[in-house]
Amino acid sequence: AFLLSARRHDVPVIFTFFAFVPESWGGANPYIDPRAVEAQKEFISRVVKRYREMNDVIWDLINEPSCCSPGRLWQTRPNYDEHETRAWHEWLRERFATETDEDLEAKLAELWRTLPDEALALPQLQEFGDRNIFEGLRPLKTMEYRLFANDVFTRWAQEMVATIRETGGPQQLVTVGQDEGGTYERPAPMFHGPVVDFTSNHTWWLNDDLLWDSVVTKTPDRPNLISETGIMFYERIDGSAWRTEHESRDLLERKLVLAVATDTAGFIEWIWNTNPYMPLDNEAAIGLLRTDGSAKPELQVLEGIAKFVAESMRDLGPREPEPVVMLIPHSHMFSVRNFATAATQRCVRAMHYHCRVTMGAVGEYALDRLDYVPKLLILPSPRILTEAAWRRTLELVRDGATLLVTGPIDSDEHWLPVDRLERFGVEATVRPVAQEEHLGIGNMMYRLSYRGDKFQRLEKSVPAPGSPARVAEFNEGRGKVIWSPLPVELADQVAPTTVLYRYALAAADVEPLFRVERTDPGVLIYPAVYGEAVLYAIVSELGSATDVRLTHAETGTPLEVALPAGRAALALVGRSDGRTLGRYTPVARSSG
């Protein structure tokens, strides 16, 4: 009845089978125990079989998954059951091909700095946290376990997709509705993307990094749907609401505008009716309609943006790939001393908000899915990197890309030394950063501060002891490598990163698609290029009203938008004649 009612009103349905972890149905491990997996497949097949003729049903395998322990939701932690232990050993044998288990133990002891009799054991829970002195803990194991967990989840998803395909029709799409945990250690789109038809992200908590959310969850070869978004309830310390309803509307508007523009497949707002029976205070207030049925201000922006999309975004032609691609350093991100997340967040903000150039992303372990050579490839403060990723990166450079890499790069994913700078004639040691550093970029020197615990956690390359660090360039095939000895993205100041990125953009011959009259990094101007038109998303993070005046360089089309504080707008410009094909704006539109 529900599905038939939805079809009557032309509403497609995404049906979710599981939430957080799959049902185990008596099994010891929800992803690996054959008893659990077979029960899950039986359950899914019975549902799919009933609706196999309905091509407007989309199957979501699981909502916001964790792996592998049901007792530790929203984390990637071991379950310590016999099935996981066996799968862990098999995975290690497959990953590190050795003739005997004794050879494997010796290899792992070298990679993880363990004693041989410790090598095959799953990592302890205490080993997932950073500390000054690790004593008897072996934190290097945890990076490998997070890779293992992503592989376990991907194989499980592949089995569930195969069950759907065998039972239903090939026209039904399959996804995984992951939240922002997929930007870090939990099952991530960059890993399970190949086995689903489109990836998903739920933008709830990381409200200061909404653009980064979309960039790092969009794989090069799959659509990415913001399949849940809305406003979680925040409280002041006295229990009153942190945001007014109009401030919540403004934040939702920014989320929805970014979801439309950032190479995603759109958004689903969660949820229509407020559910006062929800036993969670932070979710009980979510909803477009209040409990008395009246509409919140949030409904206004949803209706306006939906109308814009329906009326304007048709027959635009294919989306053109971004000229710049960020390589996500997952090996470092999966370590217990993770600075890769902060480095990628600074990278996304500096490139888009300061340099005004759009950027895509690809994972360190998914480089083979990048099917074009970007003009500029950025590897932000990776510290460690697999040899396979480094070789593939250099192939892209030899094919014409410019690579910008920052900080030390002479260590593999197990922190073992490899000679990468040697091919460019550079000999360098790795030392802790100073609290204050200087970096030469071109003819100018810039100060970089590493305060707080950064100078006790971050490292730099030192080519010439006692001298200030300098950015260097090396030719490689038809491309070039630009290298900074300092991890610029992790400095306290954003200015050195911006200057370095502009330097690299000039070297790669990449320019912004527009000119703006007054530059303010508190306002994002994001141009999404299609075959027939360019979609501009203009998002203000300012606490005061602003007027944005820009010129689309391709056609000379002027755009003027007056934005109240914290609001967002959309404008569609034709590429052939420069006509404005449509607008969404929260205020009366200006001429131009």
Side-chain angles (χ1 to χ4, degrees):
F2 182 91
L3 289 170
L4 290 173
S5 298
R7 170 168 284 189
R8 180 181 179 89
H9 297 282
D10 195 27
V11 178
V13 174
I14 299 181
F15 184 94
T16 305
F17 290 110
F18 304 109
F20 312 138
V21 292
E23 293 287 342
S24 294
W25 280 302
N29 188 295
Y31 291 105
I32 305 171
D33 187 339
R35 180 177 179 180
V37 172
E38 288 305 311
Q40 295 156 10
K41 290 160 72 172
E42 175 68 14
F43 167 66
I44 285 177
S45 64
R46 291 196 180 200
V47 176
V48 172
K49 185 176 181 180
R50 182 178 178 92
Y51 304 103
R52 63 182 179 271
E53 301 300 328
M54 300 186 74
N55 59 11
D56 50 359
V57 175
I58 297 170
W59 305 114
D60 181 351
L61 298 180
I62 184 168
N63 179 60
E64 301 177 355
S66 305
C67 189
C68 289
S69 172
R72 299 174 181 88
L73 292 181
W74 303 295
Q75 299 180 82
T76 295
R77 298 293 185 272
N79 197 47
Y80 301 110
D81 60 88
E82 60 176 326
H83 303 282
E84 183 183 47
T85 300
R86 188 181 307 114
W88 170 245
H89 292 168
E90 291 172 356
W91 185 83
L92 292 173
R93 293 186 189 102
E94 183 179 337
R95 179 165 166 79
F96 305 104
T98 53
E99 293 186 1
T100 66
D101 278 358
E102 289 76 14
D103 292 340
L104 177 62
E105 288 183 357
K107 178 68 173 176
L108 295 177
E110 175 193 6
L111 298 180
W112 296 340
R113 322 312 195 257
T114 72
L115 299 174
D117 59 353
E118 302 172 325
L120 287 176
L122 286 159
Q124 303 175 49
L125 293 178
Q126 303 95 307
E127 291 173 336
F128 285 84
D130 189 17
R131 56 184 68 199
N132 293 330
I133 299 175
F134 290 101
E135 297 177 326
L137 302 177
R138 310 300 181 191
L140 293 179
K141 278 188 179 186
T142 59
M143 184 275 291
E144 225 84 45
Y145 181 81
R146 285 164 172 151
L147 290 174
F148 163 75
N150 267 282
D151 193 52
V152 164
F153 180 83
T154 299
R155 294 187 188 194
W156 174 85
Q158 193 169 22
E159 280 198 67
M160 299 303 124
V161 171
T163 299
I164 291 172
R165 297 287 178 247
E166 292 164 4
T167 308
Q171 75 279 4
Q172 293 174 332
L173 302 177
V174 183
T175 190
V176 168
Q178 183 58 289
D179 65 1
E180 292 153 318
T183 65
Y184 172 43
E185 64 168 1
R186 283 166 48 209
M190 286 291 172
F191 291 86
H192 63 250
V195 304
V196 296
D197 296 302
F198 64 93
T199 56
S200 292
N201 183 34
H202 301 167
T203 53
W204 283 112
W205 296 107
L206 303 182
N207 295 322
D208 191 42
D209 288 295
L210 294 172
L211 178 59
W212 174 83
D213 251 5
S214 291
V215 170
V216 299
T217 56
K218 170 67 176 71
T219 69
D221 57 349
R222 291 290 187 275
N224 189 39
L225 177 68
I226 305 301
S227 56
E228 269 190 38
T229 191
I231 306 300
M232 288 284 189
F233 189 72
Y234 283 74
E235 288 183 337
R236 292 192 176 95
I237 197 167
D238 65 359
S240 60
W242 180 257
R243 295 185 180 91
T244 67
E245 285 193 337
H246 285 85
E247 289 168 340
S248 294
R249 172 206 60 193
D250 298 349
L251 177 55
L252 181 65
E253 184 177 60
R254 299 198 295 273
K255 289 187 176 189
L256 301 188
V257 164
L258 285 171
V260 170
T262 54
D263 202 10
T264 64
F267 61 83
I268 299 174
E269 200 279 340
W270 185 268
I271 189 171
W272 190 263
N273 292 300
T274 299
N275 177 10
Y277 303 107
M278 171 69 69
L280 294 171
D281 286 348
N282 65 319
E283 293 198 18
I286 299 172
L288 294 172
L289 302 183
R290 304 182 187 93
T291 53
D292 64 0
S294 58
K296 297 179 184 177
E298 295 169 36
L299 182 60
Q300 300 169 358
V301 299
L302 176 65
E303 290 178 330
I305 294 170
K307 182 180 179 181
F308 167 85
V309 171
E311 293 179 351
S312 304
M313 295 190 64
R314 295 181 180 273
D315 303 321
L316 300 182
R319 174 80 176 240
E320 293 190 1
E322 294 84 357
V324 182
V325 171
M326 176 179 68
L327 176 55
I328 304 170
H330 274 118
S331 292
H332 193 185
M333 189 175 282
F334 287 172
S335 73
V336 301
R337 197 164 286 176
N338 166 31
F339 286 95
T341 295
T344 56
Q345 288 170 335
R346 171 64 61 82
C347 178
V348 168
R349 183 161 288 274
M351 184 59 67
H352 291 88
Y353 287 77
H354 296 262
C355 299
R356 307 292 190 186
V357 174
T358 58
M359 179 173 65
V362 65
E364 175 185 349
Y365 292 85
L367 262 170
D368 58 335
R369 290 155 60 194
L370 184 65
D371 60 359
Y372 71 99
V373 178
K375 287 188 174 182
L376 177 62
L377 189 65
I378 298 184
L379 182 50
S381 303
R383 187 54 185 94
I384 56 176
L385 193 75
T386 65
E387 272 295 280
W390 179 247
R391 288 194 299 268
R392 176 58 184 146
T393 299
L394 290 183
E395 287 175 6
L396 292 169
V397 174
R398 286 191 286 270
D399 286 340
T402 295
L403 169 67
L404 171 62
V405 58
T406 57
I409 57 172
D410 279 340
S411 298
D412 69 10
E413 70 271 32
H414 299 107
W415 300 83
L416 293 173
V418 287
D419 293 326
R420 290 173 181 154
L421 290 171
E422 190 178 67
R423 70 181 294 117
F424 305 120
V426 175
E427 293 185 10
T429 58
V430 176
R431 301 299 305 152
V433 297
Q435 290 149 297
E436 300 292 330
E437 296 276 3
H438 288 91
L439 177 66
I441 306 174
N443 297 322
M444 300 293 292
M445 297 296 295
Y446 297 87
R447 183 169 64 88
L448 287 77
S449 302
Y450 297 97
R451 291 289 168 171
D453 269 351
K454 288 181 181 179
F455 88 105
Q456 301 182 123
R457 289 291 188 270
L458 298 178
E459 294 169 298
K460 63 182 178 180
S461 283
V462 184
S467 301
R470 299 200 66 87
V471 170
E473 286 191 39
F474 315 106
N475 293 322
E476 180 75 15
R478 292 191 286 123
K480 65 180 67 174
V481 176
I482 300 173
W483 173 61
S484 163
L486 295 174
V488 293
E489 293 87 0
L490 297 172
D492 294 348
Q493 307 91 336
V494 70
T497 302
T498 302
V499 171
L500 179 59
Y501 283 12
R502 287 175 178 156
Y503 179 90
L505 287 166
D509 195 25
V510 178
E511 295 182 353
L513 296 178
F514 60 91
R515 300 183 298 274
V516 63
E517 186 174 298
R518 185 177 69 250
T519 298
D520 191 324
V523 178
L524 170 69
I525 303 174
Y526 185 101
V529 181
Y530 295 87
E532 303 298 327
V534 176
L535 175 66
Y536 277 95
I538 304 170
V539 181
S540 173
E541 296 178 355
L542 299 175
S544 56
T546 187
D547 293 327
V548 179
R549 298 180 179 89
L550 65 92
T551 301
H552 178 58
E554 189 176 30
T555 59
T557 304
L559 285 174
E560 296 185 15
V561 178
L563 285 180
R567 301 301 297 272
L570 292 161
L572 193 65
V573 177
R575 298 185 65 183
S576 60
D577 54 15
R579 288 190 306 117
T580 300
L581 304 176
R583 281 184 182 236
Y584 164 77
T585 177
V587 294
R589 64 187 64 180
S590 303
S591 60

